[in-house]
Each structure stands twice: as structure tokens, then as C-alpha cells.
């Protein structure tokens, strides 16, 4: 298959929409990461997403819309809870996914057999334009090989997907850099299933009480069913083995320097760079600036593989506060939950 490289002109947007309406796959930019889109109402088209990514079929997808009314227009949800109206008024369009009871039009392939569906109204103008051009809502997980770092540029998409999908629409770099926050409204208390740029604190301001699912920072128990993308499997990982260190700043520097040598790299902060020796070091941003760290994380993980000889990469376990919780969530999954606790040693 030849993968078309489309740009953001109107003709290419219409081409992307036509491919999608005819059952094809197009990688599209959003404000979070690039998504691998297919017609969300077409089970056969959705199945192509899983095949192209090598994604397990029990991992649900997010349905993307271009207007709040699309949920009722396309029978995507059984009903719209009052809490969804409040969240939409505050955060849509934007990097928030809302889980509600599934409507009759949603194929089981989209929801992985669950009776719920995840809905997002992206803020990126190109994503909205392609949805409108396709004339249907789009199912779209991240446009990468399953388990690898999510793509934040068309270049990343082509690295993983060239020859596997019909087209990629180049919209430049993604502004947020991490996938959307996912909140479910089908529990007694709204619950965050995946953290992102919309933080639990922001959600609490809109809804009142909000819980954080245990699987946000802990491994999902064996046999448990994932209610949201990003909950069940090792995700976001480079080919190198990621190991997280739970420690203070000084202990991080000492541990990495002692481990330095061929095949070792560090994901660190700007302030660490002059203190690390004989180790490939990539900064995520200034210490405590979790917005910048979130934006840079996936590109940095891909840069590690670009070195070619890195076997192990060390990073500090971030503070799980605000957007830091989203960085924590992605890193701990990239590491397969491998954490060395230097505070207890």
C-alpha cells in the first residue's frame, strides 16, 4: 500500500474525508497526538485500525466528533448525562474524552465489547475539518505501532505506519503532546481513567467530586477488562528498557552517573544536563514544568531509539500532581511498572 502524504489544503482535506467515507485509514493531527482514523460506524473499517497498529482487540477506541450534536445525530450514546453537558461547556472542543453508555450505532469493535463508548470533540481545526469532510464520526487511537511512543508529528506516523495506511494528513507538531484525559460518567462518582492535560483538579471544579482510578498509577490486575485506552497494556515504550527511579534530584544524578557507559541514556530535566557525565541525556524540560515535559515526552522517547545503541534509559518518577499525573502515567507504563525505589535503599 502506498501511503499518501497530504497537507492542510482544502483539496487534501476532502481527499482524506473521501478515503475515510469509503472505509480507508487516515492519520490525522489533533491537539494531543496524531490519531489513526476510520469511520466509527463501519466495523470493517475499524478492524483495519487494529490490524495496522497490531493493537489487541480488547483495547477500546475513542470516537471523535465535530459537534456536540453528533452524539445524538449518529446515535453514539444512549443518553447524555447532565455531567456531560457541564464538561462539554468547559472543556470541549479540547483534550477531554467522556465515557457514556453506548448508543445503537457503535460497532462492538469500537467499544471492545463494552456497553460504553468514549467520545471526544477535538480542538484541532484540521481534525474537525476531516470529520466534517468524511461525514461520519471517526474512531481514532494514536497513529503508531501498538505499545510504541505515540506520534506527535507526521514524521513519527510515517516511521511506524508508512505502507500500512492509506494516508497521513500533515498538520505539524501537536500542541499538547499527550493523549486526552479520559473520564467515565457511568460510575456512581465520575472517575478519571487516563490523565492528560485536563487535570483532576480542573474536572473537580466542573463536577464536584471526582475519583482517580487505581489503574492510573498501578498495573491493571490480571484478567481485568480495560474500560479505557491506555489502561491495560505496556504503552508508549521505546525499544530501550525504561527504568524509573523514585528518588530526590541528587540521588538521581549519582545513580545515573554510576550506571553511565555504553548503552545507557537518561531522560532528565534541563537542570540535570551539566551534572550528568558519559551518558546520553535528553531533557524533557525544566524541573516541575510538567506542561513542557508532557509536550516533549513522546518525541524524546523516540529520540532515544534514534541513537541506535541505547539499551537502558533511566528517568526520575515525577510528582503525580496536576499535569504531572499524566507524565507519571505515561512513564510508568513505558517502563512496564519497573521502578527502583532509592528512598527505601
Amino acid at each position: 500500500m502506498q501511503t499518501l502524504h497530504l497537507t492542510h489544503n482544502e483539496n487534501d482535506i476532502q481527499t482524506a474525508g473521501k478515503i475515510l467515507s469509503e472505509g480507508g485509514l487516515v492519520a490525522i493531527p489533533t491537539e494531543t497526538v496524531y490519531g489513526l482514523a476510520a469511520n466509527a460506524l463501519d466495523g470493517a473499517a475499524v478492524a483495519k485500525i487494529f490490524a495496522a497498529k497490531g493493537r489487541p482487540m480488547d483495547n477500546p477506541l475513542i470516537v471523535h466528533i465535530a459537534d456536540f450534536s453528533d452524539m445524538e445525530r449518529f446515535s453514539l450514546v444512549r443518553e447524555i448525562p447532565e455531567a456531560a453537558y457541564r464538561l462539554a461547556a468547559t472543556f470541549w472542543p479540547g483534550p477531554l474524552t467522556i465515557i457514556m453508555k453506548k448508543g445503537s450505532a457503535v460497532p462492538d469493535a469500537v467499544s471492545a465489547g463494552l456497553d460504553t463508548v468514549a467520545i471526544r470533540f477535538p480542538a484541532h481545526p484540521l481534525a474537525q475539518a476531516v470529520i466534517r469532510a468524511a461525514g461520519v464520526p471517526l474512531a481514532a487511537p494514536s497513529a503508531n505501532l501498538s505499545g510504541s511512543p505515540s506520534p506527535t508529528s507526521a514524521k513519527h506516523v510515517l516511521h511506524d505506519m508508512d505502507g500500512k495506511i492509506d494516508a497521513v494528513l500533515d498538520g505539524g507538531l501537536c500542541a499538547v503532546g499527550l493523549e486526552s484525559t479520559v473520564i467515565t460518567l457511568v460510575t456512581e462518582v465520575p472517575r478519571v481513567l487516563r490523565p492528560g492535560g485536563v487535570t483532576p483538579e480542573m474536572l473537580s471544579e466542573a463536577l464536584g467530586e471526582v475519583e482517580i482510578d487505581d489503574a492510573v498509577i498501578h498495573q491493571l490486575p490480571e484478567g481485568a477488562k480495560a474500560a479505557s485506552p491506555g489502561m491495560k497494556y505496556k504503552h508508549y515504550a521505546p525499544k530501550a528498557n525504561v527504568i524509573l527511579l523514585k528518588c530526590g534530584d541528587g540521588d538521581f544524578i549519582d545513580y545515573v552517573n554510576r550506571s553511565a557507559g555504553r548503552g545507557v541514556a537518561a531522560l532528565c530535566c534541563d537542570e540535570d544536563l551539566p551534572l550528568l557525565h558519559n551518558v546520553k541525556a535528553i531533557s524533557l524540560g525544566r524541573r516541575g514544568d510538567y506542561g513542557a515535559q508532557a509536550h516533549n515526552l513522546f518525541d524524546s522517547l523516540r529520540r532515544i531509539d534514534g541513537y541506535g545503541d541505547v539499551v537502558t534509559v533511566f528517568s526520575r518518577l515525577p510528582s503525580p500532581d496536576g499535569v504531572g499525573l499524566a507524565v507519571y502515567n505515561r512513564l510508568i507504563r513505558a517502563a512496564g511498572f519497573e521502578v527502583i525505589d532509592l528512598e527505601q535503599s
Side-chain angles (χ1 to χ4, degrees), residues 325-345:
L325 180 63
V327 180
Y328 186 114
N329 170 266
R330 302 319 192 271
L331 275 174
I332 203 166
R333 277 165 170 73
F337 296 89
E338 186 173 357
V339 179
I340 297 175
D341 188 350
L342 296 181
E343 296 176 350
Q344 300 298 320
S345 60

Side-chain angles (χ1 to χ4, degrees), residues 240-243 245 252-253 255-257 259-261 263-269 272-273 275-284 300-301 303-304 307 310-316 331:
N241 184 40
V242 178
I243 298 175
L245 305 179
F252 174 77
I253 297 297
Y255 189 95
V256 174
N257 280 336
S259 306
V264 174
L267 276 180
C268 61
C269 300
D272 300 328
L273 291 175
L275 304 176
L276 292 169
H277 307 296
N278 301 316
V279 60
K280 294 180 173 69
I282 298 175
S283 175
L284 295 175
S300 297
L301 289 170
R303 284 174 58 196
I304 288 168
Y307 284 126
V310 174
V311 177
T312 302
V313 56
F314 294 105
S315 189
R316 185 190 294 103
L331 275 174

Side-chain angles (χ1 to χ4, degrees), residues 87-108:
L87 289 173
T90 305
F91 302 112
W92 275 4
L96 178 68
T97 294
I98 304 173
I99 293 179
M100 293 167 274
K101 288 292 185 180
K102 183 174 71 171
S104 59
V106 180
D108 283 345

Side-chain angles (χ1 to χ4, degrees), residues 4 9 20 26 39 42 46 82 104 121-122 164 172 200 207 211-212 214-215 242 272 286 290 295 309 311 345:
L4 298 177
N9 65 65
L20 290 162
V26 180
N39 179 353
D42 181 346
V46 169
E82 189 273 334
S104 59
F121 182 179
K164 297 182 174 70
L207 295 181
E211 297 177 344
I212 300 176
D214 186 63
V242 178
D272 300 328
R286 293 189 60 81
Y290 291 121
H295 181 267
D309 62 348
V311 177
S345 60

Side-chain angles (χ1 to χ4, degrees), residues 43-78:
V46 169
K48 295 178 183 178
I49 293 176
F50 291 91
K53 285 175 58 70
R55 182 185 178 95
M57 293 293 291
D58 63 349
N59 200 3
L61 305 178
I62 293 171
V63 176
H64 294 67
I65 60 177
D67 191 272
F68 187 90
S69 64
D70 286 350
M71 289 190 288
E72 290 185 332
R73 176 188 173 198
F74 293 104
S75 300
L76 299 178
V77 299
R78 199 176 308 167

Side-chain angles (χ1 to χ4, degrees), residues 4 9 26 28 56 135 162 167 169 216 221 224 238 246 258-259 291 303:
L4 298 177
N9 65 65
V26 180
I28 64 172
D162 196 14
L169 181 65
V216 165
K246 185 179 181 181
R258 288 199 305 271
S259 306
R303 284 174 58 196

